[in-house]
Each structure stands twice: as C-alpha cells, then as structure tokens.
Amino acid sequence: MSQPIVLGHDEMDEVHAEFEALLAAAGDCSDEDLPGTLDALTSHLQSHFAMEDDWMSRGEFPPRDCHAAEHAAVLKSASEVRPLVAAGNLVVGRSFIRALAEWFPAHATHLDSALATWICKQRLGAKPLVFHRRVASH
C-alpha cells in the first residue's frame, strides 16, 4: 500500500495504521519469523475487529451484519492458516498475507469508511473531513 488509508476517525485510523505496519512487516519477514509474525497479525486482527464490531453494535450501524461477517471470515481464515504455517507450510502463510493486503483497501474504503461516517455523524452531527496531499507525478 503506497499511502495509508485515512478515514477521518482517529481511533480507526490509528488501528488501521497499526494493521498496515504489521501487514508490511509480515510481507517482509523471514521464513523463520513468519509464524510469530502471523500470530501477532492475527492477535491484532482479533482486537481490531472486536473494537469495530463493538462500535457497530453500540451505534446500531445498519449494515453491521455484512461488515461483521467479513471480519469473521478473515478471522476464520487466520485460524485455519496459523496451524498450517506452524507445521511448516509457509506458502499458505505468504498467500494469506498477500490476500489480506489485497482485501484491506476495499474493505476500509467501503465498509470502514461508512462506519467512520456513521460514527462521526452520531457524535458530531457531520461527516469526517479527510485531506490528502497531492503527489506530483513527474
């Protein structure tokens, strides 16, 4: 991911930045470090998704079932991949990390941004504002 995904909800943006950093570390880690790195990534996902699921439930976010179902599917995949990696199947671990990297931008852009907007409207009565620096192309 070239630029971090920023949605205008500070807590969500912070947890997403943590996730992106862990994901980058997982993609670059050695084979020896892959099982531990995958464990750290999975632990982060569990707390990350629990936090968002709680926000959706407490805020009565209308599409929460669809959003939470995506979270559950990712956690299910992680729980299936971890023992395979621990047994030495590093290919499936690397594949899972790539799949997460491909999945996350669309999830954040569509589902998480809708949640950020919902929360901000409830708390502040307005949509979040996000400013992005233009990157000059040469």
Coordinates of all heavy atoms in Angstrom, one line a residue, residues 17-93:
A17 N -3.5 2.0 10.8 CA -2.1 2.3 10.6 C -1.3 1.1 11.2 O -0.3 0.7 10.7 CB -1.7 3.6 11.2
E18 N -1.7 0.7 12.4 CA -1.0 -0.4 13.1 C -1.2 -1.7 12.2 O -0.2 -2.4 12.1 CB -1.7 -0.7 14.5 CG -1.4 0.4 15.5 CD -2.3 0.1 16.8 OE1 -2.8 -0.9 16.9 OE2 -2.4 1.1 17.5
F19 N -2.4 -1.9 11.7 CA -2.6 -3.1 10.8 C -1.7 -3.0 9.6 O -1.0 -4.0 9.2 CB -4.0 -3.2 10.4 CG -4.3 -4.3 9.4 CD1 -4.1 -5.6 9.8 CD2 -4.7 -4.0 8.1 CE1 -4.3 -6.6 8.8 CE2 -4.9 -5.0 7.2 CZ -4.7 -6.3 7.5
E20 N -1.6 -1.9 9.0 CA -0.8 -1.7 7.8 C 0.7 -2.0 8.1 O 1.4 -2.6 7.3 CB -1.1 -0.4 7.1 CG -2.4 -0.2 6.5 CD -2.8 1.2 6.0 OE1 -2.5 2.1 6.7 OE2 -3.3 1.2 4.9
A21 N 1.1 -1.5 9.2 CA 2.5 -1.7 9.6 C 2.8 -3.2 9.9 O 3.8 -3.7 9.4 CB 2.9 -0.9 10.8
L22 N 1.9 -3.9 10.6 CA 2.0 -5.3 10.8 C 2.0 -6.1 9.5 O 2.7 -7.1 9.3 CB 1.0 -5.8 11.8 CG 1.1 -5.4 13.2 CD1 -0.2 -5.7 14.0 CD2 2.3 -6.2 13.8
L23 N 1.1 -5.7 8.6 CA 1.0 -6.4 7.3 C 2.2 -6.2 6.5 O 2.7 -7.2 5.9 CB -0.2 -5.8 6.6 CG -0.7 -6.6 5.4 CD1 -1.1 -8.0 5.7 CD2 -1.9 -5.9 4.8
A24 N 2.8 -5.0 6.5 CA 4.1 -4.8 5.8 C 5.2 -5.6 6.4 O 6.0 -6.2 5.7 CB 4.4 -3.3 5.8
A25 N 5.3 -5.7 7.7 CA 6.3 -6.5 8.4 C 6.1 -7.9 8.1 O 7.1 -8.7 7.8 CB 6.2 -6.2 9.9
A26 N 4.9 -8.4 8.0 CA 4.6 -9.8 7.7 C 5.0 -10.1 6.3 O 5.6 -11.2 6.0 CB 3.1 -10.1 7.9
G27 N 4.8 -9.2 5.4 CA 5.2 -9.4 4.0 C 6.7 -9.4 3.8 O 7.2 -10.1 2.9
D28 N 7.4 -8.8 4.7 CA 8.9 -8.7 4.5 C 9.6 -9.6 5.5 O 10.9 -9.6 5.4 CB 9.3 -7.2 4.8 CG 8.9 -6.3 3.7 OD1 8.6 -6.7 2.6 OD2 8.7 -5.1 4.0
C29 N 9.0 -10.3 6.3 CA 9.7 -11.1 7.4 C 10.3 -12.3 6.8 O 10.0 -12.8 5.7 CB 8.7 -11.5 8.5 SG 7.6 -12.8 8.2
S30 N 11.3 -12.8 7.5 CA 12.0 -14.1 7.1 C 11.1 -15.3 7.3 O 10.1 -15.2 8.0 CB 13.3 -14.2 7.9 OG 12.9 -14.5 9.3
D31 N 11.4 -16.4 6.7 CA 10.7 -17.6 6.9 C 10.6 -18.0 8.4 O 9.6 -18.5 8.9 CB 11.2 -18.7 6.0 CG 10.9 -18.5 4.6 OD1 10.1 -17.7 4.2 OD2 11.5 -19.3 3.7
E32 N 11.8 -17.8 9.0 CA 11.8 -18.2 10.5 C 10.9 -17.4 11.3 O 10.3 -17.8 12.3 CB 13.3 -18.0 11.0 CG 14.3 -19.0 10.4 CD 15.7 -18.6 10.8 OE1 15.9 -17.5 11.3 OE2 16.6 -19.5 10.7
D33 N 10.7 -16.1 10.9 CA 9.8 -15.2 11.7 C 8.4 -15.2 11.3 O 7.5 -14.7 12.0 CB 10.3 -13.8 11.6 CG 11.7 -13.5 12.2 OD1 12.0 -14.3 13.1 OD2 12.4 -12.6 11.9
L34 N 8.1 -15.9 10.2 CA 6.7 -15.9 9.7 C 5.7 -16.4 10.7 O 4.6 -15.8 10.9 CB 6.6 -16.7 8.4 CG 5.2 -16.7 7.7 CD1 4.8 -15.3 7.4 CD2 5.2 -17.6 6.5
P35 N 5.9 -17.5 11.4 CA 4.8 -18.0 12.4 C 4.6 -17.0 13.5 O 3.4 -16.7 13.8 CB 5.4 -19.3 13.0 CG 6.3 -19.8 11.9 CD 6.9 -18.6 11.3
G36 N 5.6 -16.4 14.1 CA 5.4 -15.4 15.1 C 4.8 -14.1 14.6 O 3.9 -13.5 15.2
T37 N 5.2 -13.7 13.4 CA 4.6 -12.5 12.8 C 3.2 -12.7 12.4 O 2.3 -11.8 12.7 CB 5.4 -12.1 11.5 OG1 6.8 -12.0 11.9 CG2 4.9 -10.9 10.9
L38 N 2.8 -13.9 12.0 CA 1.4 -14.2 11.7 C 0.6 -14.2 13.0 O -0.6 -13.8 13.0 CB 1.3 -15.5 10.9 CG 0.0 -15.9 10.3 CD1 -0.5 -14.8 9.4 CD2 0.1 -17.2 9.6
D39 N 1.2 -14.7 14.0 CA 0.5 -14.7 15.3 C 0.2 -13.3 15.8 O -0.9 -13.0 16.2 CB 1.3 -15.5 16.4 CG 1.3 -17.0 16.2 OD1 0.5 -17.5 15.5 OD2 2.1 -17.6 16.9
A40 N 1.2 -12.4 15.6 CA 1.0 -11.0 16.0 C -0.1 -10.3 15.2 O -0.9 -9.6 15.6 CB 2.3 -10.3 15.9
L41 N 0.0 -10.6 13.9 CA -1.0 -10.1 12.9 C -2.4 -10.6 13.3 O -3.4 -9.8 13.4 CB -0.7 -10.5 11.5 CG -1.5 -9.9 10.4 CD1 -1.5 -8.4 10.4 CD2 -1.0 -10.4 9.0
T42 N -2.6 -11.8 13.6 CA -3.9 -12.4 14.0 C -4.4 -11.8 15.3 O -5.6 -11.5 15.4 CB -3.8 -13.9 14.1 OG1 -3.4 -14.5 12.8 CG2 -5.1 -14.5 14.5
S43 N -3.5 -11.7 16.3 CA -3.9 -11.0 17.5 C -4.4 -9.6 17.3 O -5.4 -9.2 17.9 CB -2.7 -11.0 18.5 OG -3.0 -10.4 19.7
H44 N -3.7 -8.9 16.5 CA -4.1 -7.5 16.1 C -5.5 -7.5 15.5 O -6.4 -6.7 15.9 CB -3.1 -6.8 15.2 CG -3.7 -5.6 14.6 ND1 -3.6 -4.3 15.3 CD2 -4.4 -5.3 13.5 CE1 -4.2 -3.4 14.6 NE2 -4.7 -4.0 13.5
L45 N -5.7 -8.4 14.5 CA -7.0 -8.5 13.8 C -8.1 -8.8 14.8 O -9.2 -8.2 14.7 CB -6.9 -9.6 12.7 CG -6.1 -9.2 11.5 CD1 -6.0 -10.4 10.6 CD2 -6.8 -8.0 10.7
Q46 N -7.9 -9.7 15.8 CA -8.9 -10.0 16.8 C -9.3 -8.8 17.5 O -10.5 -8.5 17.7 CB -8.4 -11.1 17.7 CG -8.3 -12.5 17.0 CD -7.5 -13.5 17.8 OE1 -6.7 -13.1 18.7 NE2 -7.7 -14.8 17.5
S47 N -8.4 -8.0 18.0 CA -8.7 -6.8 18.8 C -9.3 -5.7 17.9 O -10.2 -5.0 18.3 CB -7.5 -6.3 19.6 OG -6.5 -5.9 18.8
H48 N -8.7 -5.6 16.7 CA -9.1 -4.5 15.7 C -10.6 -4.8 15.4 O -11.4 -3.9 15.5 CB -8.2 -4.7 14.5 CG -8.5 -3.9 13.3 ND1 -7.6 -3.7 12.3 CD2 -9.7 -3.3 12.9 CE1 -8.2 -3.0 11.4 NE2 -9.4 -2.7 11.7
F49 N -10.9 -6.0 15.0 CA -12.3 -6.3 14.6 C -13.3 -6.3 15.8 O -14.4 -5.8 15.6 CB -12.4 -7.7 13.9 CG -11.6 -7.8 12.6 CD1 -11.4 -9.0 12.0 CD2 -11.2 -6.6 11.9 CE1 -10.7 -9.1 10.8 CE2 -10.6 -6.7 10.7 CZ -10.3 -7.9 10.1
A50 N -12.8 -6.7 17.0 CA -13.7 -6.6 18.1 C -14.1 -5.2 18.4 O -15.2 -4.9 18.8 CB -13.0 -7.3 19.3
M51 N -13.1 -4.3 18.3 CA -13.3 -2.9 18.5 C -14.4 -2.3 17.5 O -15.4 -1.7 17.9 CB -12.0 -2.1 18.4 CG -12.2 -0.6 18.6 SD -10.6 0.3 18.6 CE -10.1 0.1 16.9
E52 N -14.2 -2.6 16.2 CA -15.1 -2.1 15.2 C -16.5 -2.8 15.4 O -17.5 -2.1 15.2 CB -14.6 -2.4 13.8 CG -13.4 -1.5 13.4 CD -13.0 -1.7 12.0 OE1 -13.7 -2.4 11.2 OE2 -11.9 -1.2 11.6
D53 N -16.5 -4.1 15.7 CA -17.8 -4.8 15.9 C -18.6 -4.1 17.1 O -19.8 -4.0 17.0 CB -17.6 -6.3 16.2 CG -17.1 -7.0 14.9 OD1 -17.1 -6.4 13.8 OD2 -16.7 -8.2 15.0
D54 N -17.8 -3.7 18.1 CA -18.4 -3.1 19.3 C -19.0 -1.7 18.9 O -20.1 -1.4 19.3 CB -17.4 -2.9 20.4 CG -18.0 -2.3 21.6 OD1 -19.0 -2.8 22.2 OD2 -17.5 -1.2 22.1
W55 N -18.3 -1.0 18.1 CA -18.8 0.3 17.6 C -20.0 0.2 16.8 O -21.0 0.9 17.0 CB -17.7 1.0 16.8 CG -16.5 1.6 17.5 CD1 -16.4 1.9 18.8 CD2 -15.3 1.8 16.9 NE1 -15.1 2.3 19.1 CE2 -14.4 2.3 17.9 CE3 -14.7 1.7 15.6 CZ2 -13.1 2.7 17.7 CZ3 -13.4 2.1 15.4 CH2 -12.6 2.6 16.4
M56 N -20.0 -0.9 16.0 CA -21.2 -1.1 15.1 C -22.4 -1.5 15.9 O -23.5 -1.0 15.7 CB -20.9 -2.2 14.1 CG -19.9 -1.7 13.0 SD -19.7 -2.8 11.6 CE -18.8 -4.1 12.4
S57 N -22.2 -2.3 16.9 CA -23.3 -2.8 17.8 C -23.8 -1.6 18.6 O -25.1 -1.4 18.6 CB -22.8 -3.9 18.6 OG -23.9 -4.4 19.5
R58 N -23.0 -0.9 19.3 CA -23.4 0.2 20.2 C -24.0 1.3 19.4 O -25.0 1.9 19.9 CB -22.2 0.7 21.0 CG -21.9 -0.2 22.2 CD -20.8 0.4 23.1 NE -19.6 0.6 22.4 CZ -18.9 1.8 22.4 NH1 -19.4 2.8 23.1 NH2 -17.8 1.9 21.8
G59 N -23.5 1.6 18.2 CA -24.0 2.6 17.4 C -25.2 2.3 16.5 O -25.7 3.1 15.7
E60 N -25.6 1.0 16.6 CA -26.7 0.5 15.7 C -26.4 0.8 14.2 O -27.3 1.2 13.5 CB -28.0 1.0 16.2 CG -28.3 0.5 17.6 CD -29.7 1.0 18.1 OE1 -30.4 1.7 17.4 OE2 -30.0 0.7 19.3
F61 N -25.2 0.5 13.8 CA -24.8 0.7 12.4 C -25.6 -0.2 11.5 O -25.6 -1.4 11.7 CB -23.3 0.4 12.3 CG -22.7 0.6 11.0 CD1 -22.8 1.9 10.3 CD2 -22.0 -0.4 10.3 CE1 -22.2 2.1 9.1 CE2 -21.4 -0.2 9.1 CZ -21.5 1.0 8.5
P62 N -26.4 0.3 10.6 CA -27.3 -0.5 9.8 C -26.7 -1.7 9.1 O -27.2 -2.8 9.2 CB -28.0 0.4 8.8 CG -27.9 1.8 9.5 CD -26.6 1.7 10.3
P63 N -25.6 -1.6 8.3 CA -25.0 -2.8 7.7 C -24.0 -3.5 8.5 O -23.1 -4.2 8.0 CB -24.4 -2.2 6.4 CG -23.9 -0.8 6.8 CD -25.0 -0.3 7.8
R64 N -24.2 -3.5 9.8 CA -23.2 -4.2 10.7 C -23.1 -5.7 10.5 O -22.0 -6.2 10.6 CB -23.5 -3.9 12.2 CG -24.7 -4.5 12.8 CD -24.9 -4.0 14.2 NE -26.2 -4.3 14.7 CZ -27.3 -3.5 14.7 NH1 -27.1 -2.3 14.1 NH2 -28.4 -3.9 15.2
D65 N -24.2 -6.4 10.1 CA -24.1 -7.8 9.9 C -23.1 -8.1 8.7 O -22.3 -9.1 8.8 CB -25.5 -8.4 9.6 CG -26.4 -8.3 10.9 OD1 -25.8 -8.2 12.0 OD2 -27.6 -8.4 10.7
C66 N -23.2 -7.4 7.6 CA -22.4 -7.7 6.5 C -20.9 -7.4 6.9 O -20.0 -8.1 6.6 CB -22.8 -6.8 5.3 SG -21.7 -6.8 3.9
H67 N -20.7 -6.3 7.5 CA -19.4 -5.8 7.9 C -18.7 -6.8 8.9 O -17.6 -7.3 8.7 CB -19.4 -4.4 8.6 CG -18.2 -3.7 8.7 ND1 -18.1 -2.4 8.7 CD2 -16.9 -4.1 8.9 CE1 -16.8 -2.0 8.9 NE2 -16.1 -3.1 9.0
A68 N -19.5 -7.2 9.9 CA -19.0 -8.2 10.9 C -18.8 -9.5 10.3 O -17.9 -10.3 10.7 CB -20.0 -8.3 12.1
A69 N -19.6 -9.9 9.3 CA -19.4 -11.2 8.6 C -18.0 -11.2 7.9 O -17.3 -12.3 7.8 CB -20.5 -11.4 7.6
E70 N -17.6 -10.1 7.3 CA -16.3 -10.0 6.7 C -15.2 -10.2 7.7 O -14.2 -10.9 7.5 CB -16.0 -8.7 5.9 CG -16.5 -8.7 4.5 CD -15.9 -7.7 3.6 OE1 -14.8 -7.2 3.9 OE2 -16.5 -7.4 2.6
H71 N -15.4 -9.6 8.9 CA -14.4 -9.7 9.9 C -14.3 -11.2 10.4 O -13.2 -11.7 10.5 CB -14.8 -8.9 11.2 CG -14.7 -7.4 11.0 ND1 -15.2 -6.5 11.9 CD2 -14.1 -6.7 10.0 CE1 -15.0 -5.3 11.5 NE2 -14.2 -5.4 10.4
A72 N -15.4 -11.8 10.5 CA -15.5 -13.2 11.0 C -14.8 -14.1 9.9 O -14.1 -15.1 10.3 CB -16.9 -13.7 11.2
A73 N -15.0 -13.9 8.7 CA -14.4 -14.7 7.6 C -12.9 -14.5 7.6 O -12.2 -15.5 7.5 CB -15.0 -14.3 6.2
V74 N -12.4 -13.3 7.8 CA -10.9 -13.1 7.9 C -10.4 -13.9 9.1 O -9.3 -14.6 9.0 CB -10.6 -11.6 7.9 CG1 -9.1 -11.4 8.2 CG2 -10.9 -11.0 6.6
L75 N -11.0 -13.8 10.2 CA -10.5 -14.4 11.4 C -10.6 -16.0 11.3 O -9.7 -16.7 11.8 CB -11.3 -14.0 12.7 CG -11.1 -12.5 13.1 CD1 -12.0 -12.2 14.3 CD2 -9.6 -12.3 13.4
K76 N -11.6 -16.5 10.6 CA -11.7 -17.9 10.4 C -10.5 -18.3 9.5 O -9.9 -19.4 9.8 CB -13.0 -18.2 9.7 CG -13.2 -19.7 9.4 CD -14.6 -20.0 8.8 CE -14.9 -21.5 8.6 NZ -14.0 -22.2 7.7
S77 N -10.2 -17.6 8.5 CA -9.1 -17.9 7.6 C -7.8 -17.9 8.4 O -7.0 -18.8 8.2 CB -9.0 -16.9 6.4 OG -10.1 -17.1 5.6
A78 N -7.6 -16.9 9.2 CA -6.4 -16.8 10.0 C -6.3 -18.0 10.9 O -5.2 -18.6 11.1 CB -6.4 -15.5 10.8
S79 N -7.4 -18.4 11.5 CA -7.3 -19.6 12.4 C -7.0 -20.9 11.7 O -6.4 -21.8 12.3 CB -8.6 -19.7 13.2 OG -9.7 -20.2 12.4
E80 N -7.3 -20.9 10.4 CA -7.0 -22.1 9.6 C -5.6 -22.1 9.1 O -4.9 -23.1 8.9 CB -8.0 -22.2 8.4 CG -9.4 -22.5 8.8 CD -10.4 -22.3 7.7 OE1 -10.1 -21.8 6.6 OE2 -11.6 -22.7 7.9
V81 N -5.1 -20.9 8.8 CA -3.7 -20.7 8.3 C -2.6 -20.9 9.3 O -1.6 -21.5 9.1 CB -3.6 -19.3 7.6 CG1 -2.2 -19.0 7.3 CG2 -4.4 -19.3 6.3
R82 N -2.9 -20.4 10.5 CA -1.8 -20.4 11.6 C -1.3 -21.8 11.9 O -0.1 -22.0 11.9 CB -2.3 -19.8 12.9 CG -2.5 -18.2 12.7 CD -3.1 -17.6 13.9 NE -2.3 -17.6 15.0 CZ -2.8 -17.5 16.3 NH1 -4.0 -17.2 16.5 NH2 -2.0 -17.5 17.3
P83 N -2.1 -22.8 12.1 CA -1.6 -24.2 12.3 C -0.8 -24.7 11.1 O 0.2 -25.5 11.3 CB -2.7 -25.0 12.7 CG -4.0 -24.3 12.4 CD -3.6 -22.8 12.2
L84 N -1.2 -24.4 9.9 CA -0.5 -24.8 8.7 C 0.9 -24.2 8.7 O 1.9 -24.9 8.3 CB -1.3 -24.5 7.5 CG -2.7 -25.2 7.3 CD1 -3.5 -24.6 6.1 CD2 -2.5 -26.7 7.2
V85 N 1.0 -23.0 9.0 CA 2.3 -22.3 9.0 C 3.1 -22.9 10.1 O 4.3 -23.1 9.9 CB 2.1 -20.7 9.1 CG1 3.4 -20.1 9.4 CG2 1.4 -20.2 7.9
A86 N 2.6 -23.1 11.3 CA 3.3 -23.6 12.4 C 3.9 -25.0 12.0 O 4.9 -25.4 12.5 CB 2.4 -23.7 13.6
A87 N 3.2 -25.7 11.2 CA 3.6 -27.1 10.7 C 4.6 -27.0 9.6 O 5.0 -28.0 9.1 CB 2.4 -27.9 10.3
G88 N 4.9 -25.8 9.1 CA 5.9 -25.6 8.1 C 5.4 -25.2 6.7 O 6.2 -25.0 5.8
N89 N 4.1 -25.1 6.5 CA 3.6 -24.6 5.2 C 3.6 -23.1 5.1 O 2.6 -22.4 5.4 CB 2.2 -25.2 5.1 CG 1.6 -25.0 3.7 OD1 2.2 -24.1 2.9 ND2 0.6 -25.7 3.3
L90 N 4.8 -22.6 4.8 CA 5.0 -21.2 4.7 C 4.3 -20.6 3.5 O 3.9 -19.4 3.5 CB 6.5 -20.8 4.7 CG 7.3 -21.4 5.9 CD1 8.7 -21.0 5.8 CD2 6.7 -21.0 7.2
V91 N 4.1 -21.4 2.4 CA 3.5 -20.9 1.2 C 2.1 -20.4 1.5 O 1.6 -19.3 1.1 CB 3.5 -22.0 0.1 CG1 2.6 -21.5 -1.1 CG2 4.9 -22.3 -0.3
V92 N 1.3 -21.2 2.3 CA -0.1 -20.7 2.6 C -0.1 -19.5 3.5 O -0.9 -18.6 3.4 CB -0.9 -21.9 3.3 CG1 -0.5 -22.1 4.7 CG2 -2.4 -21.6 3.2
G93 N 0.9 -19.3 4.3 CA 1.1 -18.1 5.2 C 1.3 -16.9 4.3 O 0.7 -15.9 4.5

